[in-house]
Amino acid sequence: MIPFSQILHDHAREIWEENHRHPFLAGLRDGTLPPDRFAYYMKQDYIYLIDYARIFAYGSIKAEDLETMGMFARLLEGTLNTEMELHRQYAARLGISREALEQTRPAPATMAYTRYLLDTAGSGSLAELTAVLLPCMWSYWEIGTAIAQHPGALSHPLYGEWVLMYSSEEFGELARWCIGLMDRLAEGLSEQERQLLQEHFNTASRYEYSFWEMAYQGDPGDSGSPEKRAQEEWQV
């Protein structure tokens, strides 16, 4: 029997392949991504992760056993203190203060994505919550692992740490747990309920693409912005 997570992945394959081909990730892979784009992405992703961490808090609330509750707590802790710490370190290197990072105003794509996540997590079942959080974690692991295979990606002076984080075994372990949870939660559900989960997964996957597009195309601001200074200081 095909795992439900594989069915989700197969149905969203076209969207995920578009993510892999996106010029933001192509530039990150070969080192040609303009540093101002990366700085803009880091700021938007930082405030995205604040709300993404709240999804894990909802997961702990909705979990029906201590093991699942504990894993969601671990995901929450890892997001706040490991993943977001990488962003804080990058911000310091890029000339963005901690205050400026935390006061970042969400772009429309960021706001739309996080509102969708939080609305689903708050009003939906644990299975729905898992379906909407999974595309971010799973696709980042898949993307990071793929980029890590590219010569020089892991040793790049600016982007190497990002690649290392998302291709790591530690991150992969968490992603695999979420994939397994999705499979367990889908067991015994009706076709209608499974279809709803698939719709959530596809929608979140499309939001992932919108986020990369926003990061690549969004206006970083005036010539004095931290993003522009990053472009001047990091010529890669």
Side-chain angles (χ1 to χ4, degrees):
M1 184 175 180
I2 300 174
F4 183 64
S5 59
Q6 188 60 53
I7 294 173
L8 293 177
H9 193 279
D10 288 345
H11 278 277
R13 185 177 302 280
E14 183 176 346
I15 305 169
W16 283 43
E17 289 177 349
E18 288 180 5
N19 283 338
H20 278 277
R21 293 191 298 266
H22 195 278
F24 184 98
L25 292 172
L28 197 151
R29 180 174 58 248
D30 62 21
T32 62
L33 179 69
D36 65 320
R37 294 293 82 219
F38 188 67
Y40 183 73
Y41 156 78
M42 273 292 163
K43 290 173 66 179
Q44 289 296 318
D45 199 47
Y46 188 81
I47 56 172
Y48 165 87
L49 286 173
I50 295 172
D51 281 337
Y52 195 62
R54 292 188 172 106
I55 307 302
F56 298 133
Y58 273 116
S60 284
I61 292 171
K62 298 194 173 193
E64 296 184 354
D65 61 86
L66 290 176
E67 180 181 357
T68 303
M69 183 184 294
M71 278 300 300
F72 273 115
R74 180 181 170 188
L75 286 161
L76 172 59
E77 191 279 334
T79 302
L80 291 175
N81 298 318
T82 301
E83 193 171 0
M84 290 177 69
E85 179 58 25
L86 177 69
H87 289 58
R88 289 187 282 267
Q89 292 174 6
Y90 263 121
R93 294 171 64 190
L94 294 165
I96 302 168
S97 69
R98 176 76 171 265
E99 181 180 17
L101 185 64
E102 295 183 355
Q103 292 181 355
T104 299
R105 295 184 63 181
T110 306
M111 185 176 295
Y113 191 3
T114 57
R115 290 308 94 190
Y116 174 69
L117 292 175
L118 289 170
D119 286 349
T120 304
S123 62
S125 65
L126 182 61
E128 289 179 76
L129 178 153
T130 305
V132 294
L133 72 81
L134 190 53
C136 179
M137 177 164 288
W138 192 354
S139 70
Y140 265 64
W141 178 42
E142 185 177 285
I143 288 166
T145 301
I147 292 178
Q149 306 307 310
H150 193 276
L154 284 168
S155 60
H156 190 277
L158 184 56
Y159 306 136
E161 291 179 53
W162 188 97
V163 179
L164 181 62
M165 163 75 78
Y166 294 111
S167 64
S168 69
E169 177 57 31
E170 293 80 7
F171 192 82
E173 178 190 350
L174 297 175
R176 286 192 294 270
W177 181 83
C178 288
I179 293 168
L181 177 64
M182 184 78 271
D183 289 332
R184 293 192 296 276
L185 293 173
E187 292 177 1
L189 296 183
S190 67
E191 185 57 36
Q192 183 177 6
E193 290 170 320
R194 289 162 69 96
Q195 181 63 37
L196 175 60
L197 299 182
Q198 184 176 309
E199 291 173 3
H200 280 314
F201 188 87
N202 287 345
T203 299
S205 295
R206 286 192 290 270
Y207 271 124
E208 281 294 307
Y209 182 87
S210 296
F211 198 90
W212 296 124
E213 183 71 4
M214 171 272 298
Y216 192 69
Q217 301 289 351
D219 184 357
D222 62 31
S223 60
S225 69
E227 291 86 351
K228 288 299 182 183
R229 291 197 296 273
Q231 175 68 17
E232 295 167 1
E233 295 172 10
W234 287 89
Q235 295 298 325
V236 297

